[in-house]
């Protein structure tokens, strides 16, 4: 038996083969979606059809949120200074952190803690009351922000309901999505204005339901958003003058006018 210096459970290659988590990569090509392959890499198993649809929707939901986000502005600023597309996108990627785009892991921690302090054996009204007391105590202690909740633009993030509907189709029901929804409702009551679940909070609740490792909670968002950063960096490099002053707010749109998706059977 061959002894190696170290082992990995993720992948291996031979002269004729590439294996990912035991599966043949060439056999996966054209049969397994990219989102499903990402899920396989992270959790070690291929998803069910319903979970695959959900993971794909999560990654589409995170792919872009306009040209005024901190990460896009960082990428474009680097490109304006002469950075290559790769390096400019990297600058944007490095700006993704707890306040923007990489709050999923922090939100997973928060939702897990809150779920653990609310008894699962009480009625919904008692859960609301118990959560309200907990959140009020957190706010009194100066911990007012719950990662994954609130949005600077949306009163209700249009992506969240769709994701939670797909989660229902996938029969995810371990209580994390219920907890996240309750947090949003109670925060709204306490603060006196709408505090929606944002994309980070929705991803956090869903990934907790799917038993993703918490320290890889940001992975799906980061993989997806890197696509956007590369494209924004490319547009900056190829169409904009160097060393321009980039306004973070006064941004117009000159692309394809609003249009409807093709029929579902044409998208498969």
């Amino acid at each position: 038996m061959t002894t190696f210096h170290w082992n990995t459970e993720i992948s291996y290659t031979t002269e004729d083969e590439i294996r990912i988590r035991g599966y043949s990569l060439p056999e996966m090509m054209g049969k397994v979606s990219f989102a499903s392959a990402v899920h396989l890499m992270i959790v070690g198993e291929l998803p069910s059809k319903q979970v695959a649809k959900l993971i794909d929707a999560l990654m589409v939901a995170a792919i872009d949120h306009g040209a005024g986000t901190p990460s896009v502005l960082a990428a474009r600023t680097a490109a304006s200074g002469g950075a290559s597309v790769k390096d400019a996108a990297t600058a944007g990627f490095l700006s993704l952190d707890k306040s923007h785009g990489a709050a999923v892991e922090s939100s997973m921690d928060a939702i897990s803690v809150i779920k653990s302090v609310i008894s699962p054996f009480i009625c919904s009204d008692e859960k609301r009351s118990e959560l309200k007391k907990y959140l009020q105590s957190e706010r009194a202690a100066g911990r007012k922000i719950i990662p994954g909740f609130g949005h600077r633009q949306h009163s209700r993030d249009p992506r969240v309901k769709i994701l939670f509907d797909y989660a229902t189709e996938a029969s995810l029901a371990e209580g994390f999505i219920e907890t996240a929804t309750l947090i949003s409702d109670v925060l709204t009551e306490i603060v006196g204005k709408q505090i929606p679940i944002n994309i980070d909070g929705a991803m956090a609740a869903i990934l907790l339901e799917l038993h993703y490792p918490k320290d890889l909670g940001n992975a799906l968002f980061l993989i997806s958003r890197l696509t956007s950063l590369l494209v924004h960096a490319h547009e900056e490099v190829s169409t904009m003058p160097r060393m321009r002053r980039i306004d973070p707010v006064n941004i117009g749109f000159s692309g394809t006018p609003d249009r409807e998706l093709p029929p579902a059977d044409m998208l498969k």
Side-chain angles (χ1 to χ4, degrees):
M1 182 176 180
T2 304
T3 301
F4 297 97
H5 287 286
W6 61 284
N7 293 312
T8 175
E9 297 181 353
I10 300 169
S11 62
Y12 74 89
T13 63
T14 67
E15 182 178 351
D16 302 312
E17 183 62 283
I18 305 166
R19 290 270 168 178
I20 306 295
R21 300 288 193 184
Y23 290 106
S24 168
L25 181 62
E27 289 182 12
M28 289 167 57
M29 294 166 59
K31 299 175 184 176
V32 175
S33 72
F34 178 71
S36 294
V38 171
H39 180 87
L40 172 65
M41 288 287 292
I42 294 172
V43 304
E45 297 292 342
L46 285 169
S48 67
K49 182 178 180 180
Q50 292 78 12
V51 171
K53 182 179 180 181
L54 175 59
I55 297 299
D56 186 72
L58 280 172
M59 297 188 73
V60 171
I63 199 167
D64 193 86
H65 199 269
T69 60
S71 54
V72 170
L73 292 172
R76 285 179 175 270
T77 298
S80 184
S84 67
V85 170
K86 172 183 69 68
D87 290 346
T90 300
F93 193 79
L94 291 174
S95 76
L96 293 167
D97 216 310
K98 292 181 180 179
S99 294
H100 165 54
V104 179
E105 291 171 15
S106 299
S107 187
M108 289 173 79
D109 285 333
I111 294 170
S112 294
V113 168
I114 291 171
K115 183 176 182 292
S116 71
V117 302
I118 301 174
S119 172
F121 304 109
I122 57 178
C123 69
S124 57
D125 287 343
E126 289 176 324
K127 285 182 180 180
R128 179 181 290 270
S129 177
E130 200 169 291
L131 176 57
K132 186 174 182 180
K133 290 177 183 178
Y134 174 80
L135 292 177
Q136 286 175 327
S137 68
E138 288 290 288
R139 290 174 65 80
R143 295 183 289 271
K144 297 183 179 181
I145 297 175
I146 308 295
F149 297 85
H151 202 285
R152 63 176 181 163
Q153 184 175 7
H154 302 305
S155 60
R156 287 198 179 276
D157 192 315
R159 299 166 289 188
V160 171
K161 183 181 184 303
I162 297 170
L163 293 174
F164 284 175
D165 285 346
Y166 286 150
T168 299
E169 289 181 15
S171 301
L172 305 186
E174 295 198 13
F176 294 103
I177 292 174
E178 178 190 3
T179 299
T181 302
L182 189 59
I183 293 169
S184 174
D185 291 345
V186 174
L187 280 175
T188 296
E189 180 183 339
I190 292 172
V191 176
K193 68 175 184 178
Q194 190 68 46
I195 306 296
I197 307 170
N198 59 39
I199 187 63
D200 294 319
M203 291 185 79
I206 289 168
L207 296 182
L208 284 167
E209 297 272 0
L210 292 172
H211 304 288
Y212 265 55
K214 287 184 183 177
D215 49 2
L216 279 174
N218 291 326
L220 295 183
F221 188 103
L222 294 174
I223 293 166
S224 183
R225 189 57 64 93
L226 179 58
T227 303
S228 166
L229 295 175
L230 286 162
V231 175
H232 280 282
H234 176 262
E235 183 179 71
E236 185 70 30
V237 167
S238 60
T239 67
M240 299 293 182
R242 299 288 78 84
M243 295 298 291
R244 73 183 182 102
R245 294 182 182 275
I246 301 177
D247 192 301
V249 178
N250 188 20
I251 304 167
F253 177 73
S254 57
T256 306
D258 294 357
R259 51 183 168 172
E260 299 297 322
L261 283 173
D265 59 349
M266 294 181 62
L267 293 173
K268 295 179 180 179

